[in-house]
């Protein structure tokens, strides 16, 4: 297989920040709410214990997963295809013929804007939200890749 | 845009046209029905909920509310929709508060469908559905046009059809008569309809006479219970037959240069034209009963898709009954690229370890079923564990009947034993490919290949990971060679 291009090194920090944000803003309130509701309607002992165990599991995931996600992500642009490899538990290799590309988006959330990174989303006519997603690219790299991909054109196969 | 082009487009502004004034009359009832159908659990609650008998004022106000909403949306649709063909492209303007102008280029049109429900036919109108490959809705829905306006529009878009007389002289690829549809309806799986009928019956009894429902078991006895099940099955069969005849009455698939034309329907007639260059996939479904009866059904799909019910339905012609002997010939008409006889195909098999993986999965499912039944019914629920050998047998049969092959022009995938499905996809229509593996597959060194076309995806049976990567590379060859 062709050698993959790795994400920008700053993407590792981005993934850590994203998973920490998810932990604090989503899982902590959910677990507190679940523990309170469970204590009222079920058991004052087991419900908080289960909620705490789940929160600990999510904490471990937030610490452990981002580095693996970063390590497993890679892409390459050959003469005729964009290939994206990713996944920790479920690994996948997506091949998108460049002449099938309908449009390409570059997106930046608040964290990405702050870090000067961008996410590239490649769309074909397959109707899947986005066939290939590459997060954690330096903004100028994402823009250059986007421009290169949309310029190809050709038979879109529909 | 060049200056000369600007001058041309502004010199002649094609006038906007509107829907026929009979739009309200022909669309109100179908729109109200589709609204009620999408909210059926709520309507059931209105009909059977509460303690008082009959429809009370509250229930009636809900019914009026539904019809009011349908009437309003029908009116807004008629009042705000304008269309025209301008600069060679179809333009449709809609919306009251949220205004939208949609421009459709004729070369992106996947198919044009003419639908006439019973109200359209009485009023001499037609509904035109113009679909492209993007999104999950009908991109150009003109719900009430006079036949002349519809024909003129189709001609302007360069999608002109032959006249009805000429159409009748087109060569017929498949025609399904009343007997065929009877066979199709009888063999339709109606377990879901049976469950709904049974549920509504119980709900009605509970509502009208709760004491009788409580003593129903004693009243019926074993023979009565069997008779009830047989009655429900018979009723659902009649339902299946009626639905098949209503929808597919006088089904005909005809051939004209470069396209297939399908016509069908008793009260609502439907005519769909599928340009052969747009056909991307043909699916043959052969449930066990139909296989035993020597026939299957064939779906011919283009890239156009729209939301229908709970999923995305593709613009397609569904041939209800194709005899096994005619599979090859119909397939060749629908997908001229096909370069293999399926009956003589040398099928590639899934990896043997895939069976182990499936067996582990269904064993866990069986354990879950047994445990759940024991939770509800106590020790007698342990009978649920018998599901495990049944699931294992079905898995083994399914594995035995899986197969795939790749020729120069098509990808063919076959799976299912109780419900055998054969999918044939034109390789030139492939949009992207994904090879994936979860932890269990990784342990066995296996992988899944998903082949995506516009709006649909087929998956090869599980194979060796390295081979899956090789298949991914090889499948893209004709796509790379495309101009």
């Amino acid at each position: 297989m062709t050698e993959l291009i790795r994400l920008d090194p700053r993407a590792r920090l981005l993934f850590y920040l994203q998973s920490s944000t998810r932990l604090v803003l989503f899982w902590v309130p959910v677990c507190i709410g679940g523990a309170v509701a469970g204590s009222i309607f079920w058991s004052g002992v087991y419900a908080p214990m289960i909620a705490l165990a789940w929160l600990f599991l999510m904490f471990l995931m937030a610490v452990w997963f981002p580095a693996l996600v970063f390590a497993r992500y890679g892409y390459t642009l050959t003469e005729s295809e964009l290939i994206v490899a990713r996944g920790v538990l479920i690994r996948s290799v997506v091949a998108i013929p460049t002449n099938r590309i309908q449009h390409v988006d570059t997106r930046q959330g608040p964290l990405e804007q702050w870090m000067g990174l961008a996410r590239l989303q490649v769309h074909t006519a397959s109707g899947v939200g986005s066939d290939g997603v590459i997060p954690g690219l330096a903004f100028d790299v994402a823009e250059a890749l986007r421009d290169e991909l949309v310029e190809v054109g050709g038979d879109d196969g529909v | 845009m060049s200056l000369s082009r600007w001058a041309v487009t502004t010199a002649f502004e094609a006038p906007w046209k509107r829907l026929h004034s009979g739009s309200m009359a022909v669309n109100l009832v179908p729109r109200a029905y589709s609204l009620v159908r999408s909210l059926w659990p709520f309507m059931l609650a209105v009909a059977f909920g509460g303690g008082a008998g009959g429809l009370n004022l509250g229930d009636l106000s809900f019914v009026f509310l539904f019809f009011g909403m349908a009437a309003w949306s029908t009116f807004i649709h008629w009042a705000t929709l304008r269309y025209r063909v301008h600069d060679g492209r179809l333009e449709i303007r809609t919306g009251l508060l949220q205004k939208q102008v949609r421009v459709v280029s004729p070369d992106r049109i996947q198919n044009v469908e003419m639908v006439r429900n019973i109200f359209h036919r009485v009023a001499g109108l037609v509904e035109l559905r113009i679909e492209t490959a993007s999104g999950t809705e009908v991109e150009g829905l003109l719900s009430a046009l006079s036949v002349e306006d519809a024909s003129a529009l189709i001609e302007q878009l360069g999608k002109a059809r032959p006249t009805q007389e000429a159409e009748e002289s087109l060569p017929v690829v498949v025609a399904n008569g009343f007997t065929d549809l009877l066979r199709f309806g009888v063999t339709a799986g109606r377990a879901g309809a049976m469950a709904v009928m049974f549920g509504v019956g119980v709900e009605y009894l509970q509502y009208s006479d709760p004491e009788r429902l409580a003593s129903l078991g004693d009243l019926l006895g074993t023979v009565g219970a069997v008779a009830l099940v047989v009655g429900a099955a018979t009723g659902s069969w009649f339902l299946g037959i009626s639905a098949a005849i209503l929808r597919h009455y006088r089904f005909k698939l005809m051939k004209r240069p470069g396209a297939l034309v399908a016509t069908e329907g008793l009260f609502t007639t439907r005519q769909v034209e599928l340009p052969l260059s747009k056909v991307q996939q043909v699916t043959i479904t052969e449930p066990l009963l139909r296989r035993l009866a020597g026939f299957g059904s064939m779906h011919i799909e283009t890239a156009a898709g729209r939301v229908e019910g709970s999923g995305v339905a593709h613009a397609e012609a569904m041939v209800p009954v194709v005899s096994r002997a005619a599979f090859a010939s119909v397939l060749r008409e629908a997908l001229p690229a096909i370069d293999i006889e399926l009956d003589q195909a040398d099928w590639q098999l899934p990896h043997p370890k895939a069976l182990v993986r499936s067996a582990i999965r269904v064993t866990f499912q069986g354990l879950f079923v047994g445990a759940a039944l024991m939770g509800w019914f106590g020790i007698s629920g342990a009978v649920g564990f018998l599901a495990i050998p049944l699931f294992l047998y079905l898995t083994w049969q399914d594995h035995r009947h899986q197969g795939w092959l790749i020729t120069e022009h098509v990808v063919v995938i076959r799976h299912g034993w109780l419900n055998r499905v054969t999918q044939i996809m034109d390789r030139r229509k492939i949009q992207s490919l994904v090879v994936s593996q979860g932890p269990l597959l990784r342990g066995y060194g296996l992988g899944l290949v998903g082949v995506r076309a516009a709006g649909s995806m087929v998956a090869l049976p599980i194979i060796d990971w390295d081979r899956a990567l090789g298949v991914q590379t090889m499948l893209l060859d004709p796509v790379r060679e495309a101009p």
Side-chain angles (χ1 to χ4, degrees), chain B residues 307-321:
Chain B
V307 173
E308 228 174 60
S310 55
V312 176
H314 293 275
E316 59 178 14
M318 201 278 270
V319 189
V321 177

Side-chain angles (χ1 to χ4, degrees), chain A residues 52-69:
Chain A
L52 202 63
W54 183 256
L55 192 60
F56 183 64
L57 186 69
M58 290 299 107
F59 170 75
L60 288 182
M61 297 278 274
V63 172
W64 180 48
F65 250 54
L68 290 176
V69 172

Side-chain angles (χ1 to χ4, degrees), chain B residues 39-50 59 203:
Chain B
L39 297 169
W40 66 268
F42 186 65
M43 292 303 284
L44 271 184
V46 168
F48 296 111
D59 295 341
E203 184 73 19

Side-chain angles (χ1 to χ4, degrees), chain B residues 196-210:
Chain B
V196 170
M197 281 169 67
F198 192 73
V200 169
V202 169
E203 184 73 19
Y204 179 74
L205 274 179
Q206 196 168 21
Y207 162 75
S208 63
D209 195 348

Side-chain angles (χ1 to χ4, degrees), chain B residues 259-271:
Chain B
L260 291 172
V261 180
T263 58
E264 62 181 347
L266 183 58
F267 295 124
T268 298
T269 55
R270 180 172 177 260
Q271 186 192 58

